[in-house]
Amino acid sequence: MKTLRSAPYLLAAASGLAGTAALAQGTAPKIDSGDTAWVLTASALVLFMTPGLALFYGGMVRSKNALATIMQSFIAMGVIAVQWVLFGYSLAFAKDHFGLIGGPEWLGLRGVGMLPSAVGAYGSTIPHLAHMIYQCMFAVITPALITGAFAERMKFSTYLVFILLWATFVYDPLAHWVWADGGWLGKMGALDFAGGTVVHISSGVTALVCAMMMGKRLGFPDEEFRPHNLTMTLIGTSILWFGWFGFNGGSSLAANGQGVLAFVVTNTAAASAALAWMFIEWKHRGSPTALGAASGAVAGLVGITPASGFVGPLSAIAIGVGTAAVCYFFVMMKGRFGYDDSLDTFGVHGVGGTVGALATGIFASAVGKLGLIHGNPAQLGIQAVGVLATIAYAGIVSFILLKILDATMGLRVTSTEEIAGLDLTQHGETAYHIV
């Protein structure tokens, strides 16, 4: 009996201040097994999105760069997961400093354990570790998204350093601004349910900066750069769509009605956007392509992300169609704008995230969050502030990091290496060995 009574205190010691405070008040921490199971499942779904992204991007490049492109996404699962445990999670979610960044309290996950977390409203019915690992999967995929902009031309060694620095100086602060207790955008009332600003605008804007600083691929746009394996791309799209249910549906951090709403509108927006892109392209270019349908689905998933916990199914259709139309325009116009965003990261994620964040301020109607058409025009202004702040911060800091890396390590492979392909020159391997 003595052992049983001492068990909660042992857990508190392992889990840190959150559990200790609860016990000091004479209340036992309450963990909901259903919520915990769903958050762990959602974490696995979000992690699966990164290999899905690897296939999505890998199929769109030329065969000589397929393995290198896949490797860029795959290795992010290693670099960022370790960074998150060592200090990323603490910077993003520990005690607030001036609304801008977290503190050192949770370095190395010290004090992050099996009892519920004390991160504002986050994790009240799940172990603190569950919140940590769920957020880790967002941190992993975000820098991997950027790789589509510089596909087929960035040095792998520089890439490793870049994503480590970018996660530390761009992603972690932005996550704190929006999602942490005390973050200035969250306190202002900005709505970003699952990462429209934190994930998609930040990565999309950084992608544009990368594309402009690194320059165009050799031969672009005069040569034809055909995707080498659209079957792979469609498989990757399907995995992304599947994983996005954890991305959005899991962001309620509970097996509850808001999570169900996010799940439903995620599917609805993706379906609507895939159809919209297909028909727009069919009308504009004369044929409905598999790549277009895949791009449309991803655009819809991006657009609904910030709104997914706050809008209904009909609004999701409007967001999906609207996001597809605007993203299609930017993808078609990139040649005139003069930049080589190889796999349209800015055109889909940067633009789609912006459309979705603003649309949240228009269509929000659930859980007490109201947008423009439901009598709260101020929300649209708040969303615009969040968008502009994210664009400015991600763009400026990314530019600085890239300038430093270019001066010290070099950003781009040599012309000879680019012609030979990154698979061989960066990894000494090939995606395909045909005997």
Side-chain angles (χ1 to χ4, degrees):
M1 185 63 120
K2 182 177 180 181
T3 302
L4 290 174
R5 288 183 177 178
S6 67
Y9 295 92
L10 294 174
L11 282 174
S15 301
L17 297 176
T20 302
L23 290 168
Q25 296 171 3
T27 60
K30 294 181 179 179
I31 292 176
D32 185 283
S33 60
D35 291 347
T36 303
W38 169 233
V39 171
L40 292 178
T41 301
S43 300
L45 287 170
V46 180
L47 178 65
F48 193 36
M49 291 173 69
T50 302
L53 179 72
L55 296 177
F56 178 73
Y57 281 166
M60 286 195 280
V61 297
R62 291 167 292 179
S63 59
K64 64 183 179 180
N65 297 309
L67 187 66
T69 301
I70 291 171
M71 181 64 168
Q72 287 174 340
S73 290
F74 182 82
I75 205 63
M77 295 193 292
V79 174
I80 305 304
V82 173
Q83 184 265 7
W84 194 249
V85 167
L86 292 178
F87 56 87
Y89 182 67
S90 192
L91 290 177
F93 287 100
K95 183 179 178 181
D96 174 66
H97 292 271
F98 310 107
L100 300 175
I101 196 69
E105 293 84 3
W106 296 336
L107 292 177
L109 302 187
R110 181 183 60 185
V112 180
M114 294 178 284
L115 295 182
S117 101
V119 190
Y122 291 97
S124 59
T125 61
I126 61 173
H128 196 170
L129 276 171
H131 177 258
M132 182 282 301
I133 198 63
Y134 180 68
Q135 291 295 339
C136 176
M137 304 316 177
F138 282 72
V140 165
I141 195 171
T142 306
L145 292 172
I146 303 168
T147 64
F150 51 71
E152 304 191 299
R153 58 198 188 277
M154 192 175 199
K155 293 170 64 176
F156 185 69
S157 57
T158 306
Y159 168 73
L160 292 176
V161 178
F162 172 68
I163 61 171
L164 177 61
L165 294 175
W166 190 88
T168 303
F169 292 103
V170 178
Y171 182 85
D172 295 343
L174 286 175
H176 187 86
W177 292 6
V178 176
W179 291 328
D181 188 12
W184 74 275
L185 281 177
K187 288 176 67 176
M188 188 177 66
L191 301 178
D192 187 355
F193 190 67
T197 52
V198 179
V199 175
H200 297 296
I201 296 179
S202 69
S203 62
V205 169
T206 302
L208 179 61
V209 173
C210 286
M212 295 180 71
M213 290 185 66
M214 294 189 67
K216 302 173 184 178
R217 288 167 289 179
L218 294 177
F220 183 90
D222 298 325
E223 296 179 14
E224 194 170 23
F225 290 79
R226 285 182 175 270
H228 88 282
N229 192 335
L230 284 177
T231 301
M232 181 187 294
T233 296
L234 286 177
I235 292 172
T237 306
S238 302
I239 293 172
L240 285 170
W241 193 330
F242 173 69
W244 228 289
F245 293 125
F247 199 81
N248 290 354
S251 289
S252 62
L253 295 176
N256 59 17
Q258 192 177 26
V260 173
L261 175 66
F263 197 112
V264 171
V265 300
T266 295
N267 191 68
T268 304
S272 303
L275 291 173
W277 191 300
M278 181 185 73
F279 285 118
I280 291 170
E281 184 180 46
W282 200 342
K283 176 68 174 178
H284 179 231
R285 305 182 68 182
S287 60
T289 67
L291 180 58
S295 300
V298 173
L301 291 164
V302 170
I304 197 61
T305 290
S308 55
F310 309 121
V311 302
L314 294 182
S315 296
I317 293 174
I319 291 172
V321 172
T323 304
V326 177
C327 289
Y328 182 84
F329 171 79
F330 273 86
V331 168
M332 291 298 106
M333 292 296 289
K334 69 177 181 180
R336 292 191 182 183
F337 294 151
Y339 63 91
D340 181 14
D341 176 9
S342 309
L343 309 181
D344 298 315
T345 302
F346 172 71
V348 173
H349 293 275
V351 174
T354 299
V355 171
L358 296 176
T360 305
I362 297 172
F363 294 104
S365 61
V367 296
K369 308 298 184 183
L370 302 178
L372 173 67
I373 64 175
H374 295 281
N376 182 23
Q379 189 62 52
L380 180 58
I382 293 172
Q383 296 301 107
V385 171
V387 168
L388 292 174
T390 303
I391 290 173
Y393 182 77
I396 292 170
V397 177
S398 297
F399 175 80
I400 294 171
L401 293 177
L402 289 166
K403 288 294 286 186
I404 293 171
L405 290 175
D406 192 27
T408 55
M409 300 179 67
L411 295 176
R412 187 164 177 162
V413 299
T414 66
S415 298
T416 301
E417 290 173 329
E418 187 173 341
I419 292 169
L422 272 60
D423 287 6
L424 281 173
T425 62
Q426 299 299 294
H427 304 289
E429 302 171 300
T430 59
Y432 308 100
H433 181 64
I434 302 174
V435 179

